[in-house]
Amino acid sequence: MKKNRFTLLLVTALSIFCSCKDKEDAHDTLSKITTELSDPASLKKFIHGATDNAYRQAYFFINSQLSVENIILSNRYSISYDSGELRETLRNGFEVLSDLNYIEDIVHDHKEYVPDMSDIYALKAFVYYNMAMLSGKTPLPDIRDRKNDIGRVTYINAPEIYSYCQQLLSKCDLSHQKEDRLFNTDAIKLLIAEIALMQKNKEKALDYIYK
């Protein structure tokens, strides 16, 4: 089962990498990005650039996540919630989620341009789901929206995260395969199926595998 999960994880990660237009490491966070958002053209440019940046940031999460998965599969030593490798992976994941929440805020506050949010929802689901998988029974800080990025910290258990991820993925457009999509349709279907298996919903998983 662990080997099958690792294969699904790797395929999904590779789908993201192969879909990205720019795979260079990103060291700037979205808080450093400045632009005028007064017209649809500049807003569109900002959102697309911010989305590309979030995907480049996801490189660090995926890279550290695969390292943790490799340690688990090889049984080199035990990984706990307090292990340095896992803490680094979760930290990288929360940075990506915070960036994606920021983009959602921009879209919500500026109606001049409404993009296809599939790339945003899919990456958010991918990161949150895999963080829940790695943390096991330990609840994760809840930053499902930007309001929870700051202030009093609340926590969310894995089953609720899985349901939330499926809600996000249900908003993704699966009607066609866009060439410029960062998280492509096949990867989204694979992620839906994997989460469905975690929820013990075999019928839904098979439906999306053969869809």
Side-chain angles (χ1 to χ4, degrees), residues 2-193:
K2 286 185 177 180
K3 289 185 178 180
N4 290 337
R5 160 162 166 70
F6 183 73
T7 300
L8 287 171
L9 169 71
L10 184 58
V11 170
T12 305
L14 288 175
S15 296
I16 296 175
F17 287 147
C18 292
S19 302
C20 285
K21 299 185 289 292
D22 183 357
K23 305 179 186 66
E24 294 180 359
D25 291 355
H27 299 288
D28 295 328
T29 61
L30 286 173
S31 61
K32 297 180 181 178
I33 297 175
T34 57
T35 188
E36 292 293 331
L37 302 178
S38 57
D39 64 272
S42 60
L43 181 60
K44 178 179 180 179
K45 182 179 179 181
F46 173 81
I47 292 173
H48 285 190
T51 302
D52 284 344
N53 186 78
Y55 270 77
R56 292 192 294 269
Q57 292 285 352
Y59 165 82
F60 299 105
F61 169 73
I62 295 172
N63 190 50
S64 59
Q65 178 193 6
L66 289 173
S67 296
V68 171
E69 293 272 1
N70 186 52
I71 293 172
I72 295 172
L73 287 174
S74 63
N75 293 316
R76 279 186 283 169
Y77 53 88
S78 61
I79 290 285
S80 68
Y81 186 81
D82 296 318
S83 299
E85 297 91 344
L86 181 54
R87 301 297 288 183
E88 178 185 1
T89 301
L90 296 179
R91 181 166 55 250
N92 290 335
F94 280 122
E95 288 182 4
V96 177
L97 291 176
S98 183
D99 286 352
L100 296 173
N101 286 342
Y102 179 70
I103 296 171
E104 286 191 89
D105 269 1
I106 293 296
V107 172
H108 180 269
D109 294 339
H110 299 80
K111 306 299 184 183
E112 297 88 349
Y113 169 69
V114 181
D116 176 3
M117 295 290 286
S118 297
D119 284 332
I120 305 300
Y121 296 143
L123 182 57
K124 196 171 185 180
F126 175 83
V127 172
Y128 229 140
Y129 163 65
N130 282 288
M131 287 172 62
M133 284 289 298
L134 291 175
S135 63
K137 295 182 179 181
T138 303
L140 291 173
D142 184 2
I143 62 165
R144 284 174 288 179
D145 55 62
R146 196 163 181 82
K147 296 189 294 294
N148 291 327
D149 283 353
I150 56 178
R152 186 168 62 88
V153 178
T154 57
Y155 293 87
I156 179 173
N157 292 307
E160 188 175 350
I161 292 177
Y162 300 153
S163 296
Y164 171 65
C165 291
Q166 293 287 31
Q167 292 173 20
L168 290 172
L169 294 170
S170 70
K171 300 178 183 179
C172 295
D173 181 8
L174 302 179
S175 62
H176 56 284
Q177 186 79 279
K178 292 185 178 179
E179 292 182 358
D180 61 346
R181 175 168 287 175
L182 298 174
F183 202 122
N184 65 45
T185 298
D186 290 338
I188 293 174
K189 290 180 180 178
L190 185 62
L191 184 56
I192 291 173

